[in-house]
């Protein structure tokens, strides 16, 4: 992975980028002839430019229909969809689609095109010259963290995860102001999916596209979305809000059930350990005077000294009792560093770690591996109940209307 | 049956004992008649085959493109091509003679009609076999219908298309032998000649073996062109 390089590659071209578009759904309905009810029923919402909107709901809720109306793979029956204020209905579908990135679950790479030709599909349709296409392909391979030698391979020579990266690169090729992604990580194993999600979020922080992202997985929705549109059978939009808002104040029983009775825990995935006000680490180097160090250990929730090297990376622990008996910070017979957590972990991961470790305070490391702070179980469980939120209600089981 | 210029009836006065005794295969007689009989016959055989397959290809491709868009039309083509295919070849050749005479045209009409079903069926299968995901992606990225057909559907159908051409070609190479009844060309001519000539084994075997070798060679050529046309299928999987 080459996070830094790809970020730099994207940043270098920030100035020449197409600005993201605002996407408006205005009273949109879709009825199929002969169907008993609408596939999409009077749906309105606005996705501000540069935000990720996740459409989520059980199968048959109309989320994919809603997405496919945007690039006119399906035509709407009522209402309007506007991109930066311009109705998509007035646009020629083919031209419109070339301006909208499109990623599907099955990826749909062209098996007879090399990776480079797959990525170059839309630029070629738009008539870019060869040099510009070549440069763009090289840039995009870097953006999605694929080695340049992949360019000449064929899709079947790549793993599923690599193919999906090519799918994303292909959708980004002509720098579209809007991307549509239909369960893009749905067919990928959980570990690779998690990594692709993280990579995609990192990429999105740089490219700031407007993105419509369809999934049936509420956890993915919470992770990926700036906004979440929760839909239910019959094509109804039930709630359109930020993930935190949806987890804190579900609009109705359906949403509450859909996000799960563990929604307070899920809310913990929205924040990371470095977002907390961590207590300072009682740290010292070998040979430091034990007296003042002991004072700091006594004042810390962690009743141990963390012995660190010159850079601040932990070497081991010394219990408060032993430290009191020493005159200097010892260099031998240190207890192992034990459980630590990177500061980029979500609060949920942190809580899980603390609870497996007997509720002891957690030593948090920064990205360089230096001791960054201490987080306690009280802090983590306190984050479960944000101020001002009503007491969590548990939806009753067996509600026939809710079958998420 | 017309005499073939250059094809020589065994002359028992001058020829070898092998020919006089109708031995299994007389090399000297074969090499004597390579340039006046077998060489030209192979050429004619190939030309008859190529014309029939080429015309058949155009008709079958057009029909399969229509059938790909309109399934009901596909069912119609299927009935017609199957009907034609089931007519016994000799009967079809003879039926055409009153209309078009003992000509190459007669031969080609019949030969072409036998290529249609197998090519049509393969082409349609190939086009329908293109994965729905690939087509969805192509449409979603803004390829027009024509672009999808030329850049995606037809290239991905190449293996099935070539398979259809191969079966049609090998079939026609066999049928051209029978076409010698109505058109005095190809390796069927020496075969008919040999049969009339109290089953002259050398001529019979030579022509039959050459027809088989021709079929193998043309088939190998088609396999080779498919290999060249589908580089993506040659790559090793991940």
């Amino acid at each position: 992975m080459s996070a830094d390089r790809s970020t730099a590659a994207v940043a270098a071209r920030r100035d020449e980028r197409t600005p993201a578009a605002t996407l408006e759904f205005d009273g949109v309905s879709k009825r199929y002839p002969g169907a008993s009810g609408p596939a999409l029923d009077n749906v309105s919402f606005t996705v501000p430019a540069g935000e990720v909107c996740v459409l989520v709901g059980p199968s048959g809720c109309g989320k994919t229909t809603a997405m496919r109306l945007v690039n006119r793979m399906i035509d709407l029956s009522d209402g309007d969809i506007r991109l930066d204020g311009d109705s998509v209905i007035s646009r020629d579908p083919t031209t419109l689609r070339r301006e909208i990135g499109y990623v599907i679950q099955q990826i749909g790479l062209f098996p007879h095109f090399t990776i480079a030709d797959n990525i170059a599909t839309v630029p070629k349709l738009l008539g870019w010259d060869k040099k510009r296409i070549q440069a763009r392909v090289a840039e995009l391979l870097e953006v999605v963290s694929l080695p340049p030698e992949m360019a000449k391979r064929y899709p079947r020579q790549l793993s599923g995860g690599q193919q999906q990266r090519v799918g994303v690169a292909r959708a980004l090729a002509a720098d579209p102001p809007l991307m549509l992604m239909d369960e893009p990580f749905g067919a990928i194993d959980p570990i690779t999916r998690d990594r692709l999600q993280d990579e995609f979020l990192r990429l999105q922080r740089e490219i700031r596209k407007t993105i419509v992202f369809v999934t049936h997985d509420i956890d993915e929705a919470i992770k990926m979305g700036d906004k979440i549109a929760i839909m239910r059978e019959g094509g109804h939009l039930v709630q359109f809000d930020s993930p935190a808002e949806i987890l804190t104040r579900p609009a109705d029983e359906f949403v509450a059930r859909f996000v799960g009775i563990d929604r307070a825990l899920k809310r913990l995935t929205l924040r990371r350990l470095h977002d907390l006000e961590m207590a300072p680490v009682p740290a010292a180097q070998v040979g430091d005077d034990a007296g003042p160090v002991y004072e700091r250990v006594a004042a810390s929730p962690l009743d141990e000294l963390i012995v660190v090297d010159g850079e601040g990376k932990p070497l081991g622990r010394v219990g408060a009792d032993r430290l009191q008996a020493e005159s200097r910070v010892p260099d031998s017979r240190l207890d192992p560093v034990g459980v630590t957590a990177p500061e980029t972990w979500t609060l949920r991961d942190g809580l899980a770690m603390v609870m497996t470790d007997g509720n002891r305070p957690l030593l948090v490391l920064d990205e360089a591996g230096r001791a960054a702070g201490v987080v306690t179980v009280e802090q983590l469980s306190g984050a479960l109940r944000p101020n001002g939120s009503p007491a969590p209600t548990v939806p009753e089981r067996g509600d026939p209307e809710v079958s998420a | 049956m017309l005499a073939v210029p250059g094809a020589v009836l065994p002359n028992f006065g001058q020829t070898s004992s092998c020919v006089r005794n109708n031995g299994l295969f007389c090399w000297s007689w074969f090499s004597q008649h390579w340039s006046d009989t077998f060489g030209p016959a192979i050429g004619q055989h190939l030309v008859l085959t190529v014309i029939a397959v080429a015309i058949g290809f155009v008709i079958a491709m057009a029909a399969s493109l229509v059938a790909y868009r309109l399934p009901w039309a596909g069912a119609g083509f299927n009935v017609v091509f199957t009907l034609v295919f089931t007519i016994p070849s000799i009967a079809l050749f003879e039926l055409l003679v009153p209309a078009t005479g003992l000509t190459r045209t007669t031969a080609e009409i019949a030969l072409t009609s036998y290529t249609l079903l197998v090519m049509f069926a393969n082409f349609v299968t190939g086009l329908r076999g293109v994965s729905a995901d690939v087509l969805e992606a192509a449409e979603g990225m803004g390829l027009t219908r024509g672009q999808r057909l030329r850049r995606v559907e037809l290239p991905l159908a190449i293996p099935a298309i070539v398979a259809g051409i191969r079966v049609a070609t090998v079939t026609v190479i066999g049928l051209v032998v029978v076409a010698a009844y109505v058109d005095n060309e190809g390796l069927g001519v020496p075969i008919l000649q040999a049969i009339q000539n109290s089953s002259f084994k050398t001529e019979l075997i030579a022509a039959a073996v050459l027809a088989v070798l021709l079929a193998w060679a043309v088939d190998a050529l088609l396999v080779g062109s498919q290999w060249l046309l589908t580089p993506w299928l040659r790559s090793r999987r991940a």
Side-chain angles (χ1 to χ4, degrees):
Chain A
M1 308 302 315
S2 55
D4 298 339
R5 276 195 317 143
S6 66
T7 306
V10 174
R13 285 174 170 77
R14 188 170 303 167
D15 301 338
E16 35 185 284
R17 282 208 325 259
T18 317
T22 303
L23 173 68
E24 274 171 273
F25 270 63
D26 183 1
V28 176
S29 294
K30 173 66 188 178
R31 277 176 300 274
Y32 287 104
S36 56
L40 207 64
D41 189 12
N42 193 20
V43 167
S44 300
F45 61 84
T46 300
V47 189
E51 289 201 358
V52 180
C53 168
V54 181
L55 305 178
V56 66
S59 30
C61 70
K63 54 190 191 293
T64 298
T65 303
M67 192 198 78
R68 288 163 61 94
L69 289 172
V70 177
N71 67 347
R72 298 196 51 197
M73 300 286 278
I74 309 173
D75 273 319
L76 47 77
S77 312
D78 261 318
D80 199 1
I81 296 174
R82 285 182 289 268
L83 262 180
D84 272 344
D86 296 329
S87 167
V88 297
I89 306 168
S90 60
R91 301 288 312 274
D92 165 52
T94 304
T95 331
L96 176 74
R97 288 173 196 154
R98 292 175 188 176
E99 291 167 18
I100 298 176
Y102 193 55
V103 184
I104 56 176
Q105 178 180 350
Q106 306 79 4
I107 313 173
L109 294 184
F110 300 132
H112 59 309
F113 283 8
T114 61
I115 300 309
D117 289 338
N118 264 287
I119 295 175
T121 305
V122 178
K124 276 183 185 162
L125 291 172
L126 296 174
W128 290 16
D129 66 63
K130 257 192 168 168
K131 260 194 165 169
R132 185 173 171 208
I133 291 177
Q134 246 175 9
R136 182 65 177 156
V137 167
E139 180 194 350
L140 281 166
L141 283 173
E142 203 173 317
V143 164
V144 298
S145 307
L146 286 172
E149 62 266 23
M150 289 276 172
K152 290 202 175 76
R153 302 219 182 131
Y154 287 100
R156 63 190 249 160
Q157 297 172 287
L158 272 58
S159 69
Q162 290 170 328
Q163 290 190 24
Q164 193 51 277
R165 287 171 205 211
V166 176
V168 171
R170 183 172 69 169
L172 283 170
D175 197 19
L178 172 71
M179 299 257 287
L180 305 178
M181 307 180 81
D182 189 1
E183 306 216 18
F185 309 129
I188 290 169
D189 69 87
I191 293 170
T192 312
R193 174 164 62 227
D194 208 49
R195 206 172 62 220
L196 286 177
Q197 287 170 343
D198 290 338
E199 273 177 34
F200 187 76
L201 285 173
R202 199 193 64 231
L203 179 61
Q204 166 64 0
R205 278 196 290 278
E206 292 301 323
I207 59 179
R208 285 279 160 215
K209 299 286 181 196
T210 308
I211 293 169
V212 177
F213 190 110
V214 167
T215 180
H216 61 266
D217 176 356
I218 185 66
D219 292 309
E220 185 169 57
I222 292 165
K223 181 171 179 181
M224 306 304 285
D226 296 309
K227 293 281 193 305
I228 297 179
I230 297 196
M231 303 185 59
R232 66 179 300 174
E233 295 89 341
H236 301 287
L237 175 62
V238 196
Q239 188 168 8
F240 182 78
D241 254 319
S242 68
E245 199 61 23
I246 279 175
L247 290 169
T248 314
R249 277 178 281 273
D252 61 11
E253 283 292 291
F254 172 82
V255 177
R257 176 65 62 89
F258 190 77
V259 298
I261 51 174
D262 61 339
R263 63 177 186 269
L265 273 175
K266 283 182 172 135
R267 207 165 48 227
L268 290 187
T269 62
L270 297 173
R271 296 170 71 195
R272 298 186 180 267
L273 292 175
H274 58 62
D275 297 331
L276 291 178
E277 232 172 85
M278 292 186 280
V281 183
Q285 293 185 35
V286 170
D288 284 358
D289 194 353
V293 171
Y294 178 77
E295 301 290 307
R296 283 196 283 137
V297 172
S300 164
L302 198 70
D303 62 346
E304 282 176 310
L305 169 68
I306 303 296
V307 182
V308 296
D309 64 11
E311 290 176 56
K313 293 180 185 171
L315 299 169
R317 298 179 190 237
V318 177
D321 295 345
R322 182 180 166 202
L323 186 65
Q324 206 173 11
E326 302 268 359
S327 63
R328 304 223 162 253
V329 173
D331 64 349
S332 60
R333 293 191 298 111
L334 300 180
D335 297 324
V337 176
V339 171
T340 61
E343 63 179 1
T344 51
W345 274 16
T346 64
L347 297 195
R348 184 178 178 151
D349 294 338
L351 181 64
M353 184 54 88
V354 166
M355 291 177 75
T356 6
D357 193 38
N359 287 349
R360 297 200 306 168
L362 183 63
L363 177 61
V364 177
L365 306 181
D366 67 13
E367 277 179 83
R370 293 178 299 238
V374 175
V375 169
T376 64
V377 69
E378 291 77 16
Q379 270 181 295
L380 291 167
S381 57
L384 283 168
R385 261 168 277 102
N387 295 336
S389 78
T393 59
V394 179
E396 282 175 41
R397 293 193 180 278
D399 181 343
E401 269 199 291
V402 178
S403 56
Chain B
M1 201 47 242
L2 306 168
V4 183
V8 174
L9 302 178
N11 180 327
F12 297 108
Q14 291 168 16
T15 44
S16 64
S17 62
C18 174
V19 173
R20 277 198 301 279
N21 301 331
N22 197 4
L24 190 61
F25 194 79
C26 310
W27 267 107
S28 60
W29 188 89
F30 174 69
S31 51
Q32 268 170 23
H33 294 285
W34 170 260
S35 60
D36 63 15
T37 305
F38 297 107
I42 292 177
Q44 294 155 1
H45 208 102
L46 192 61
V47 169
L48 285 167
T49 304
V50 169
I51 292 174
V53 173
I55 297 174
F57 175 85
V58 172
I59 298 173
M61 182 54 79
S64 62
L65 290 178
V66 173
Y68 181 50
R69 298 274 188 242
L70 310 169
W72 57 265
F77 285 124
N78 208 39
V79 168
V80 174
F81 295 159
T82 307
L83 213 69
V84 172
F85 191 72
T86 49
I87 302 173
S89 56
I90 292 199
L92 184 56
F93 284 124
E94 294 302 332
L95 283 171
L96 286 168
V97 169
T100 46
L102 293 171
T103 59
R104 184 183 268 195
T105 312
T106 305
E108 292 294 5
I109 291 174
L111 293 173
T112 300
S113 58
Y114 285 110
T115 66
L116 297 177
L117 179 65
V118 61
M119 287 208 273
F120 172 76
N122 271 277
F123 296 177
V124 170
T125 307
L127 289 169
R128 291 193 182 143
V130 176
S131 118
D133 314 328
V134 170
L135 293 179
E136 154 118 18
E139 190 185 354
M141 280 189 296
L143 276 80
T144 61
R145 254 190 171 198
Q147 286 166 336
R148 293 205 293 275
L149 185 65
R150 285 192 306 278
R151 299 187 195 184
V152 181
E153 291 159 318
L154 285 175
L156 287 176
I158 285 176
I161 292 173
V162 175
I165 298 175
R166 286 176 60 194
V167 180
T169 306
V170 172
T171 308
V172 168
I173 289 177
L175 286 174
V176 170
V177 171
V178 183
Y181 276 112
V182 294
D183 176 28
N184 210 8
E185 292 185 284
L187 289 163
V189 177
I191 288 178
L192 292 179
Q193 184 108 31
I195 292 171
Q196 285 183 339
N197 221 325
S198 43
S199 289
F200 178 37
K201 286 181 195 148
T202 302
E203 193 172 18
L204 195 64
I205 292 172
V209 168
L210 286 174
V212 170
L213 292 181
L214 181 66
W216 286 359
V218 173
D219 195 48
L221 205 70
L222 288 168
V223 172
S225 25
Q226 180 183 340
W227 191 83
L228 287 176
L229 283 170
T230 55
W232 65 94
L233 295 177
R234 278 181 260 149
S235 58
R236 271 189 308 155
R237 283 185 180 278

